[in-house]
Amino acid sequence: MIKSEKSARDGWVANFDTDSQSDAAVANAPTSALDIAVIIVTFKSAILTIESLRSLLTERATPGLNLRAIVVDNASGDLPAIADAVRRFDWSSWVTLVLAPKNGGFAYGNNLGIERAYSSAAPGYVYLLNPDAQVRPGAVGSLVRFLESHPEVGIAGGRFENLDGSDCSIAFRFPSMMSEVDRGLEFGLVSRLLKPWNTVRHMGRSNERVDWICGASMMIRPEVFAAIGGLDENYFLYFEETDFCWRAREAGFSTWYVPESCVMHIGGQSTAVAFLTDGPKRLPPYWFESRRRYFFVTFGVLRAMTIDVVAVVAQLLGSLKRILQGRQDRAIPHYLRDFIRFSVLRQRNRDIPPARIKIAVV
């Protein structure tokens, strides 16, 4: 039988029968093994989440690691199906299920999971994993080894591969005025000149320091939370991991790409990767809202306004180029109209709430 108890942030935590609870207590008891808390936030992704959990089984056998998972259902109805799988596959000793009281977005769900992880025992590391991601053997262990040997690094993530096995090794630079020019123009010669500012970095097979990595596979040192708090819950979706890595860098923690760690994405369904691989589709309002917030809080209102002016001009020139080339089908539908609607250039869009980054960690 499943019982529920109130969590620290008014979510619900699913507990199982007494024997399972005893097993969980034993599994989570302090040992010499390094405790890794895996956070998975699901929204209408129950089947994918179950497969993501299954992929962690090999990693749980890694010597020296005590790996446990906290699955947060962002009020989508996924919890019963996942709870049934946890019961059937006897995963209750290492999987905790949390039902969020609302769909507060990616940052909100992860913060809820992080708090729940700390309520059991302070983890050695926190690992954010998307529900549509499956870790390849050694993916978790390689990130832990890297962070253990590089105490100055705060965040680490690895490479991705697609369902068909093809490579998708990318990391990112922080968005800037120059990257907005490149994004708007989409002109070959200009893009080559602006390559040092291009947001997307195509990575090789060596460890490299980067600006930010996709939150679909992100290992975080606890000291980062102590210094900057959690993810900013004002971001519903998109830019939350960009903002998190920016704040971490400002606090003295670097972010690294570690290709030895490999995670498979099913069809590139994680938000950051899907944006790169999907065809042109109209972007949701929360993408523009997240973009506006990132530039506002990172650069201040005046520079954010300047960046938006430059971005609009670049988009207009890019649109003209596509019209002359007869390639309007490559444009994101209604992008410029939506951009202006949500831009900080409009007075009504300059009321940016303070960061919501506080998490209850010990």
Side-chain angles (χ1 to χ4, degrees), residues 36-41 52 56 70 106-107 109-111 113-114 125-131 133 135 140 143 155-157 160 213-220 225 230-231 240-241 244 263 265:
I36 310 299
V38 182
I39 313 298
I40 301 175
V41 178
S52 185
L56 292 169
I70 295 88
F106 181 79
N110 274 290
N111 284 351
I114 293 166
Y125 293 99
V126 171
Y127 181 52
L128 307 187
L129 182 67
N130 261 30
V135 299
V140 176
L143 293 179
I155 303 168
F160 295 110
I213 55 174
C214 179
S217 173
M218 178 184 282
M219 186 78 73
I220 306 167
F225 298 121
L231 283 76
E240 59 275 285
E241 64 263 74
F244 186 75
V263 171
H265 267 110

Side-chain angles (χ1 to χ4, degrees), residues 115-194:
E115 287 187 344
R116 177 57 187 171
Y118 271 85
S119 71
S120 299
Y125 293 99
V126 171
Y127 181 52
L128 307 187
L129 182 67
N130 261 30
D132 65 345
Q134 298 176 18
V135 299
R136 294 307 194 198
V140 176
S142 58
L143 293 179
V144 171
R145 286 194 300 273
F146 178 83
L147 288 171
E148 284 288 280
S149 60
H150 297 82
E152 76 284 0
V153 178
I155 303 168
R159 62 187 175 90
F160 295 110
E161 67 176 34
N162 298 315
L163 182 60
D164 61 4
S166 59
D167 187 66
C168 186
S169 299
I170 56 172
F172 303 91
R173 297 181 181 91
F174 291 125
S176 64
M177 181 183 296
M178 302 305 286
S179 68
E180 290 293 289
V181 171
D182 180 45
R183 177 185 177 84
L185 291 177
E186 292 184 333
F187 187 69
L189 176 60
V190 175
S191 293
R192 286 193 290 273
L193 292 174
L194 296 179

Side-chain angles (χ1 to χ4, degrees), residues 232 234 293 297 351-356:
D232 187 349
N234 288 295
R293 178 176 182 83
V297 301
D351 185 16
I352 305 296
R356 288 186 289 148

Side-chain angles (χ1 to χ4, degrees), residues 55-66:
S55 75
L56 292 169
L57 293 174
T58 300
E59 296 302 276
R60 279 183 45 76
T62 303
L65 296 185
N66 174 44

